[in-house]
């Protein structure tokens, strides 16, 4: 088990070689990993071994405690600046009308030139009276058409994430069964159009349980960085009734800039400059 992650992965990669999918429409093609060498072995002696084996890893103390506190205080100041009746010490004020916004990695990639595809702040108030607890929503953030490693996602923890607190739940080892699972499900035409998310109904989760794979709540401390392979089944869990912890976290997903075509780079530059496709946004729940 790892030493103890949610976001949206990279967009469609252009210019990659593909291979036809057997037993499906000839127009349906698989997209191989652009960097199959990155997690080929578990002999690095660092967090990459956990990523290879379990599909997720926790890197301790990436952000110093004083900076964690600074970021949390800045977050509080920002939320309170909207002039609502929100009081961080009074859970009766943790309701929608007081929340201004509602649902709105060099070592690994071996490069300093990274593109962010998802970068967001999450503040979750536990056990809100006006917001029912969500059921698990197990999914992967990678299209079944993509095979192998395409994206590693991340969560930077600014608050404790214990067993009772809201946070990431993963199915360790599920990434290793990704190809086998989708190869055994012949309705590949349903995977179109290509979209980097796939939700698992209960009967499909049973397929993974039969192979000894099941859910695990990832626990981490403020300043820790959680990484996970986009093929790993996961979801963001709500806190249990025992938790009073206001979850504060930063989501981040990066990919080497070398994997993007000139057309994609131009589109990303245009999107960020004219505001067509927000790259940074808060998520307050």
């Amino acid at each position: 088990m790892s030493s103890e992650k949610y976001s949206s992965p990279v967009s469609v990669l252009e210019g990659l070689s593909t291979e036809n999918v057997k037993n499906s429409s000839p127009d349906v093609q698989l997209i191989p990993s652009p960097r199959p060498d990155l997690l080929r072995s578990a002999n690095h002696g660092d967090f990459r071994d956990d990523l290879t084996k379990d599909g997720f890893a926790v890197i301790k103390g990436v952000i110093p405690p004083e900076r964690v506190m600074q970021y949390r205080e800045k977050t509080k100041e920002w939320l309170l600046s909207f002039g609502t009746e929100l009081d961080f010490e009074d859970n009766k004020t943790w309701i929608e009308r007081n929340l201004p916004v509602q649902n709105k990695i060099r070592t690994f990639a071996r490069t300093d030139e990274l593109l962010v595809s998802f970068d967001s702040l999450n503040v979750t108030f536990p056990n809100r009276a006006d917001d029912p607890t969500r059921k698990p929503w197990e999914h992967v953030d990678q299209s079944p058409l993509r095979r192998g490693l395409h994206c590693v996602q991340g969560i930077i923890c600014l608050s404790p994430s214990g067993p009772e607190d809201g946070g990431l739940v993963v199915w360790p080892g599920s990434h290793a069964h990704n190809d086998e699972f989708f190869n055994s499900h012949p309705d590949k035409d349903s995977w179109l159009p290509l979209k980097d998310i796939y939700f698992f109904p209960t009967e499909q989760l049973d397929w993974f349980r039969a192979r000894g794979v099941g859910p695990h709540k990832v626990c981490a401390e403020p300043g820790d960085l959680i990484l996970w392979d986009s093929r790993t089944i996961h979801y963001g869990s709500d806190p249990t009734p025992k938790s009073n912890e206001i979850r504060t976290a930063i989501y981040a997903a990066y990919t080497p800039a070398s994997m993007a075509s000139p057309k994609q780079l131009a589109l990303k530059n245009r999107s960020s400059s004219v505001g067509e496709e927000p790259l940074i946004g808060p998520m307050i729940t």
Side-chain angles (χ1 to χ4, degrees):
M1 185 62 62
S2 290
S3 54
E4 278 296 337
K5 232 162 140 311
Y6 181 109
S7 59
S8 173
V10 295
S11 58
V12 178
L13 300 174
E14 299 178 355
L16 295 177
S17 62
T18 59
E19 58 183 77
N20 289 332
V21 180
K22 296 180 180 179
N23 303 319
S24 67
S25 165
D27 295 329
V28 180
Q29 296 180 316
L30 297 182
I31 304 174
S33 171
R35 292 295 304 273
D37 57 305
L38 290 182
L39 293 180
R40 182 162 287 172
S41 66
N43 299 307
H44 300 284
D46 58 24
F47 68 92
R48 288 171 291 183
D49 294 344
D50 288 339
L51 269 176
T52 301
K53 177 178 178 291
D54 297 325
F56 79 103
V58 176
I59 307 175
K60 307 298 292 183
V62 171
I63 300 180
E66 59 273 14
R67 287 178 60 189
V68 171
M69 291 303 300
Q70 179 184 357
Y71 296 153
R72 291 189 68 176
E73 288 304 313
K74 288 291 185 181
T75 300
K76 288 183 178 181
E77 291 176 10
W78 175 70
L79 288 173
L80 294 174
S81 70
F82 289 86
T84 69
E85 297 178 355
L86 178 65
D87 183 344
F88 279 79
E89 304 301 323
D90 183 2
N91 60 11
K92 295 184 180 64
T93 70
W94 301 350
I95 54 178
E96 182 174 354
R97 71 167 182 265
N98 292 331
L99 303 178
V101 183
Q102 192 76 353
N103 286 328
K104 265 293 196 214
I105 306 207
R106 294 187 178 94
T107 301
F108 172 76
R110 303 175 193 164
T111 178
D112 290 341
E113 297 183 0
L114 300 172
L115 293 177
V116 60
S117 61
F118 186 94
D119 206 347
S120 180
L121 173 69
N122 181 308
V123 180
T124 301
F125 291 85
N127 302 304
R128 283 173 42 192
D130 65 339
D131 191 23
T133 301
R134 295 177 300 172
K135 295 182 179 180
W137 44 299
E138 295 91 347
H139 66 283
V140 293
D141 288 314
Q142 180 165 311
S143 168
L145 294 173
R146 299 191 194 276
R147 298 306 171 91
L149 176 69
H150 280 263
C151 183
V152 170
Q153 303 168 240
I155 291 177
I156 302 168
C157 298
L158 300 182
S159 60
S161 182
E164 307 294 339
D165 301 322
L168 183 73
V169 174
V170 298
W171 287 48
S174 57
H175 68 303
H177 297 282
N178 186 272
D179 284 2
E180 180 188 359
F181 173 79
F182 288 115
N183 285 340
S184 67
H185 290 71
D187 188 20
K188 297 179 176 63
D189 291 309
S190 66
W191 302 342
L192 295 173
L194 188 149
K195 187 175 182 181
D196 281 314
I197 193 164
Y198 182 90
F199 291 94
F200 293 89
T202 300
E203 61 272 16
Q204 293 184 355
L205 292 173
D206 289 340
W207 185 95
F208 288 90
R209 289 190 179 94
R211 286 155 179 78
V213 178
H216 168 72
K217 171 63 171 65
V218 180
C219 294
E221 297 298 325
D224 292 350
L225 170 65
I226 308 173
L227 299 177
W228 75 100
D229 188 319
S230 290
R231 296 171 294 172
T232 302
I233 297 175
H234 65 283
Y235 66 93
S237 68
D238 281 353
T240 73
K242 297 180 181 180
S243 175
N244 291 314
E245 187 67 51
I246 299 175
R247 184 190 182 204
T248 309
I250 298 172
Y251 295 144
Y254 293 86
T255 190
S258 60
M259 289 167 53
S261 68
K263 181 179 179 181
Q264 288 175 314
L265 290 173
L267 178 61
K268 180 172 281 291
N269 286 336
R270 180 171 181 270
S271 299
S272 60
S273 63
V274 302
E276 286 185 348
E277 182 182 25
L279 298 179
I280 302 177
M283 300 174 66
I284 313 299
T285 59

